[in-house]
Amino acid sequence: MRFLRQTAAVAAKDLRIELRGRHGMAAALPFAGTLLVSMGLALGPGRSLLEAVAPALLWIAVLFAAVLASRQAYLIEAEDGVLEGVVLSPADRGAIFLGKAAAIAAGLAVLEANVLVAVVLLFDLSLGASPAVLVGGFALGTVGLAAVGALFGAVAASAASRESILPLLVLPLVTPVLLAGVRTTELAISGRAAEAGSWLGLLVAFDCVMIAIGVLVIGQVLEE
């Protein structure tokens, strides 16, 4: 119970900072909207083409939002010089990691909802007859992205070149999430949700591995 309380406290603190400062998601939402509009204009009005590229556009927007949110997760502590206090606090290191990941995931979930609505309105596209598979794919992908971001955000916070190092660390690692997320979304939209089982399984495996790694090594990462 103490572990869960510490996790919830860290997540609540980060979410309050985000709501008050509006740093990460406030920057990601305009980016996602601009990406969707510009790509829609570039591709033209062809419905079949838009349906084909919509899953990739959705996940690219989510991926870059995850990078922004990951950067923000430890940025305030690092800039204010209180990251050392976090390390020295009696809170469990695993709870710090999970709290950070939960806050990132919550912010990404809000962005994903807005992006999905934007795709439906801008491109007049249906989200398919299997919303459960679509939501499940995004939920599992969000957990994986948040876990990676919560771990490597700590690495970037302690690096002198954190502005450039975070994308280099995160983007190659989350390739399985991007691939499985795009394929799951594509299958759900096209009415072939029954074929998405293996891709959802890949997302579950990735989530479990990254959460386990994060809980185990976050202490050493923060102390570095």
Side-chain angles (χ1 to χ4, degrees):
M1 291 300 294
R2 181 170 177 267
F3 183 88
L4 294 178
R5 287 197 298 270
Q6 291 175 348
T7 300
V10 173
K13 182 264 296 178
D14 280 12
L15 289 173
R16 285 196 300 269
I17 291 174
E18 176 62 30
L19 289 173
R20 292 172 182 173
R22 299 179 181 178
H23 300 293
M25 290 304 113
L29 280 172
F31 166 80
T34 302
L35 173 67
L36 293 175
V37 171
S38 60
M39 291 302 296
L41 293 174
L43 293 172
R47 183 180 180 85
S48 60
L49 182 58
L50 290 176
E51 288 180 345
V53 301
L57 291 180
L58 284 168
W59 278 96
I60 289 173
V62 172
L63 177 58
F64 280 94
V67 173
L68 291 173
S70 303
R71 174 181 172 271
Q72 193 65 32
Y74 296 90
L75 185 61
I76 293 178
E77 286 98 337
E79 289 184 344
D80 292 343
V82 298
L83 190 56
E84 184 177 351
V86 174
V87 176
L88 296 175
S89 71
D92 189 283
R93 304 297 185 269
I96 295 174
F97 166 77
L98 291 177
K100 295 282 187 183
I104 294 173
L108 289 177
V110 173
L111 177 126
E112 289 162 7
N114 283 275
V115 170
L116 285 171
V117 171
V119 166
V120 172
L121 295 178
L122 290 174
F123 301 154
D124 191 27
L125 296 180
S126 170
L127 295 181
S130 303
V133 173
L134 183 67
V135 172
F138 272 102
L140 292 172
T142 298
V143 171
L145 292 175
V148 173
L151 177 59
F152 286 97
V155 175
S158 61
S161 57
R162 60 173 176 260
E163 294 289 341
S164 59
I165 195 174
L166 184 59
L168 296 177
L169 293 172
V170 171
L171 294 179
L173 187 59
V174 298
T175 300
V177 175
L178 184 62
L179 177 61
V182 170
R183 289 293 295 148
T184 300
T185 304
E186 179 185 357
L187 291 171
I189 290 177
S190 63
R192 295 181 293 150
E195 303 174 24
S198 59
W199 297 107
L200 292 173
L202 175 60
L203 289 173
V204 171
F206 184 90
D207 293 352
C208 293
V209 170
M210 288 310 306
I211 290 173
I213 291 175
V215 171
L216 289 174
V217 307
I218 189 64
Q220 290 81 357
V221 171
L222 290 174
E223 290 172 3
E224 292 290 334

